[in-house]
Amino acid sequence: INLNMKKSILFLCLMNSILIFSQKNDISEKRLQKYIYFLSSDKMKGRQTGSKEVFKAADFIEKQFKKLGLEPKGEMGYRQTFTAKVTRVKVADSLRKSENIIGFIDNHAKKTIIIGAHYDHIGLGDLGNSKDEKENIGKIHNGADDNASGVAGLLELARYYSQNNHSKNFNLMFIAFGSEELGLLGSKYFVEHPTIPLNTVHWMLNMDMIGRYQPENGLAVIGYGTSASFEPIFKNITSDIKFNLSKDGRGGSDQTSFYDKKIPVLFFHTGGHPDYHKSGDDAEKINYPALKSILEIEKNAVNNSMNIPDMEFVWTN
C-alpha cells in the first residue's frame, strides 16, 4: 500500500468514526418511535397511577437511565416514592403508591438544569379525567401524546447529554414524574422534598404533549418570560417548524410546581387536539419528524444556556 492510499484509508476511517459518533449523538426518530409505541401500547393499559402497568413504565425508564450511566438521584436509587390520592371520584383504593424516576449527570458544577416529563396517563378513563364519550369510558386510553411523547423526548435528551461532554458548566437532572394526571402530584412532591437543593436549580424544562405538532398553530414555548436570560438563549435558534415564545410560565403541567417556587421554567407543548384524554391518543398519530425538530430546539436552548457559565437565571415573572 503506497503512502497516498494509506492517507486515504486513514481519512476514510476518521470520517467514518466521526459519522458513527454524530449518529450516536443525534436525536433519533427511530428511538422516539420505539419509546412511544412501547409506552402507549395496549399492553400498558393507559399507565394509570397505582397500576402494575405504570410501574412497568417506571421500570423501563429506570432501565434506560441505567444504560446511559446516569447517576441515581432519587431517595432509594433512581426512585422517589410518594403517596398519590385519587380525588375526582370515590374509589376503594384512593391512596396509591407512585414514584418519580430521577437520573443525574454530575459535572461537579454549582448549578443544575432540570429536564422533566410525566410518564403516567389516565388508564381506562374511569377516574373522572377522561374527555371521551360515555361509551368509551372503560376502554384503554393509551396516552401516546400525553405523555409518552414527552418521556421519549426525556430519554433522547438524556441519551444525548450522557454521550456528549461538550460542556461541564452545569449538572443535568432528568426526572420522569409520576401522578401528573391526578394534579401534578409527582412534581409537587419533588419540589417539597428535593433531592438537590432547590436554590441550585438553574432552570427547569418540561415536556408534555409534544407529539401532535400542527403547522397552523406551531409549538408553544411557555415560560419565556420567567427570566430575562431566556432572550439571549433563543436569539439565534431557528427551526424548520414554527415556534411561539409565550411569557407566562403557569399551565396544566409539571413546570407549574417549579414556577410556584420562583424557578424559571420552559414548557414545550404542541397544543390540544380531538384525541386529548380520549381512547384515540395512539402512537401512529404522532408527528415524529416534528417531534425530532422540537427536541433539537430544546437541545439548542439547553446548549446555549450551558455555554454561558456566568449567566444568572433570575426570576422575573
Side-chain angles (χ1 to χ4, degrees):
I1 300 175
N2 63 37
L3 184 59
N4 287 335
M5 189 174 289
K6 282 183 178 179
K7 287 181 178 178
S8 297
I9 292 171
L10 183 62
F11 176 76
L12 288 172
C13 288
L14 179 62
M15 292 305 294
N16 190 49
S17 297
I18 291 171
L19 180 62
I20 291 170
F21 181 77
S22 72
Q23 287 174 343
K24 185 179 178 184
N25 284 315
D26 279 348
I27 302 298
S28 163
E29 280 186 48
K30 186 176 180 181
R31 278 194 297 267
L32 292 170
Q33 288 186 26
K34 174 187 171 184
Y35 298 144
I36 292 172
Y37 270 89
F38 172 76
L39 289 167
S40 64
S41 69
D42 284 350
K43 289 181 180 179
M44 299 301 283
K45 296 184 179 177
R47 309 184 308 279
Q48 188 179 90
T49 294
S51 67
K52 67 178 183 180
E53 290 80 18
V54 83
F55 294 125
K56 186 176 179 181
D59 291 343
F60 175 77
I61 294 164
E62 180 182 49
K63 183 179 179 182
Q64 301 307 310
F65 282 1
K66 283 180 179 176
K67 275 185 181 179
L68 296 172
L70 301 189
E71 178 183 319
K73 209 66 174 178
E75 291 164 349
M76 293 187 66
Y78 292 94
R79 309 290 178 120
Q80 182 182 49
T81 303
F82 60 96
T83 300
K85 187 174 183 178
V86 178
T87 58
R88 286 196 180 109
V89 296
K90 288 185 178 181
V91 290
D93 59 338
S94 62
L95 297 179
R96 302 182 178 190
K97 178 183 174 182
S98 189
E99 294 172 313
N100 295 326
I101 315 300
I102 309 171
F104 194 66
I105 296 176
D106 188 358
N107 288 325
H108 305 289
K110 292 180 180 179
K111 293 280 189 175
T112 297
I113 298 169
I114 292 180
I115 299 173
H118 77 89
Y119 66 96
D120 63 305
H121 192 52
I122 64 172
L124 305 181
D126 55 352
L127 295 184
N129 44 11
S130 175
K131 303 288 185 184
D132 218 334
E133 302 296 328
K134 194 172 182 179
E135 59 267 26
N136 288 330
I137 305 301
K139 293 182 179 179
I140 297 170
H141 291 49
N142 283 319
D145 186 32
D146 188 14
N147 185 35
S149 66
V151 176
L154 180 75
L155 294 175
E156 270 300 88
L157 289 179
R159 178 180 297 278
Y160 172 78
Y161 284 106
S162 66
Q163 296 175 347
N164 187 328
N165 296 317
H166 75 285
S167 176
K168 295 284 189 180
N169 295 321
F170 297 95
N171 310 313
L172 287 163
M173 176 175 273
F174 299 88
I175 309 178
F177 295 109
S179 300
E180 189 269 355
E181 298 290 4
L182 295 182
L184 317 184
L185 300 187
S187 55
K188 286 178 179 177
Y189 188 86
F190 177 84
V191 298
E192 295 301 331
H193 306 84
T195 58
I196 60 171
L198 282 187
N199 63 6
T200 66
V201 177
H202 199 43
W203 59 280
M204 188 270 183
L205 185 156
N206 184 41
M207 294 169 278
D208 193 353
M209 296 177 63
I210 56 172
R212 298 282 286 267
Y213 174 78
Q214 302 162 68
E216 62 274 19
N217 296 328
L219 166 72
V221 183
I222 295 164
Y224 179 74
T226 58
S227 177
S229 297
F230 285 129
E231 184 176 350
I233 294 305
F234 277 91
K235 189 175 182 180
N236 296 316
I237 294 179
T238 59
S239 178
D240 59 343
I241 63 170
K242 180 172 75 173
F243 60 95
N244 306 303
L245 302 173
S246 176
K247 288 186 177 181
D248 188 25
R250 288 193 65 82
S253 192
D254 290 306
Q255 84 288 341
T256 300
S257 301
F258 293 82
Y259 176 96
D260 287 344
K261 294 293 185 181
K262 293 184 167 46
I263 294 170
V265 297
L266 291 178
F267 170 33
F268 289 76
H269 180 53
T270 50
H273 50 77
D275 293 313
Y276 169 66
H277 275 207
K278 294 182 180 180
S279 54
D281 184 7
D282 295 322
E284 63 268 19
K285 297 177 181 178
I286 299 296
N287 185 335
Y288 291 97
L291 177 55
K292 178 179 178 180
S293 295
I294 290 166
L295 293 172
E296 293 291 345
I297 294 169
E298 294 176 359
K299 187 178 77 174
N300 289 333
V302 174
N303 287 348
N304 288 349
S305 171
M306 292 178 77
N307 288 330
I308 311 175
D310 55 349
M311 178 176 284
E312 290 291 330
F313 273 77
V314 179
W315 172 265
T316 57
N317 206 24

